Amino acid sequence: MSPARPCRGLRAAVAASVGLSEGPGGSARRGRLLRPPSPAPAAPGARLLRLPGSGAVRAASPERAGWTEALRAAVAELRAGAVVAVPTDTLYGLACSASCSEALGAVYRLKGRSEAKPLAVCLGRVADVYRYCHVRVPEGLLKDLLPGPVTLVLERSEELNKDLNPFTPLVGIRIPDHAFIQDLVQVFGGPLALTSANLSSQASSLNVEEFQDLWPQLSLVIDGGPIGDGQSPEYRLGSTVVDLSVPGKFGIIRPGCALESTTAILHQKYGLLPSH
């Protein structure tokens, strides 16, 4: 089992290791901005970094420096045990190190989320699923659904932090079809815990302004622009959550935004039967 990563007293060291300057009081939160701040400045305690171009697509060469800067800043905060807001292929999310028990607790507190509700795990590659889960479905099935707007619920392995969802032997796996967060997980070098960027019971967020009340409790907000058209209700459904922990069957936990295409792959292509 991977031990929980220490979370206190690391911010200055991590900031120095990735080339970020420290601000007053030894905080790395006041490092260089990727671009000039927006007309409406971020609330105290948060940095707002804008991704060049569309965060869903890797930046072209002229903008690559800005993309790299955003990755460095996000990795520094995550390694220091902070909570960071990031865009995904479905909604804006809150991410922290899945190995940092203190950061996991911070996510629950700032969302007002019941500790009986699990957090998903975000990975960067399909190959990583086999490290953190006991997989009992064909590899082709994983590759047909991931990356994509789905959360696959599988039996967890001993590699995951025991403080992550300690009440269940299962874990939901996300690999968003979004270039920035895929790069972020791979540069970070470990699993991220991921949940939607909103207070529990409130609407999910399609742009950074919609969760501005949370900014004071975050270390960093990565602005990848509006998700979808930024307005339509169907874009707020989140990922389709599918239970694949029972061999030969699948169960829909949340219909989400990709129900029809997901069930077609599971049932028609791979012959899995819906559980009741």
Side-chain angles (χ1 to χ4, degrees), residues 12 16 43 61 86-87 99 112 130 132 141 148 170 193-194:
S61 296
V86 292
S99 299
Y130 292 87
Y132 298 105
L141 186 155
L170 306 179
L194 185 66

Side-chain angles (χ1 to χ4, degrees), residues 34 49-59 63-76 78 84-89 91-93 95 122-124 147 175-188 192 194 220-225:
L34 174 63
L49 301 188
R50 299 184 189 280
L51 291 178
S54 169
V57 179
R58 286 178 179 85
E63 298 178 314
R64 189 65 194 178
W67 184 277
T68 302
E69 176 95 8
L71 282 175
R72 283 181 171 180
V75 168
L78 291 167
V84 174
V86 292
T88 76
D89 55 350
L91 305 167
Y92 271 86
C122 182
L123 303 176
I175 304 179
D177 188 12
H178 192 282
F180 180 79
I181 196 166
Q182 288 182 28
D183 283 0
L184 176 60
V185 179
Q186 293 189 50
V187 174
F188 176 70
L192 298 179
L194 185 66
L220 181 66
V221 176
I222 300 293
D223 185 356

Side-chain angles (χ1 to χ4, degrees), residues 94-217:
L94 301 178
C96 72
S97 170
S99 299
C100 180
S101 300
E102 181 182 330
L104 297 174
V107 170
Y108 280 99
R109 288 191 299 273
L110 70 89
K111 280 181 62 79
R113 184 179 178 89
S114 167
E115 293 188 357
K117 292 184 177 181
L119 300 175
V121 166
C122 182
L123 303 176
R125 305 174 305 160
V126 170
D128 296 330
V129 178
Y130 292 87
R131 176 177 178 182
Y132 298 105
C133 298
H134 299 295
V135 180
R136 296 184 174 88
V137 296
E139 182 180 9
L141 186 155
L142 295 183
K143 291 183 174 180
D144 279 344
L145 294 176
L146 301 174
V150 297
T151 300
L152 302 184
V153 178
L154 303 164
E155 183 182 349
R156 62 189 288 163
S157 78
E158 295 73 20
E159 287 287 326
L160 287 173
N161 178 8
K162 63 181 178 60
D163 291 331
L164 174 73
N165 310 332
F167 46 83
T168 176
L170 306 179
V171 66
I173 297 296
R174 280 279 274 138
I175 304 179
D177 188 12
H178 192 282
F180 180 79
I181 196 166
Q182 288 182 28
D183 283 0
L184 176 60
V185 179
Q186 293 189 50
V187 174
F188 176 70
L192 298 179
L194 185 66
T195 185
S196 57
N198 57 286
L199 292 172
S200 290
S201 79
Q202 293 190 3
S204 51
S205 302
L206 299 179
N207 59 68
V208 296
E209 288 78 15
E210 291 184 340
F211 60 92
Q212 196 163 355
D213 288 349
L214 297 180
W215 288 9
Q217 301 174 71

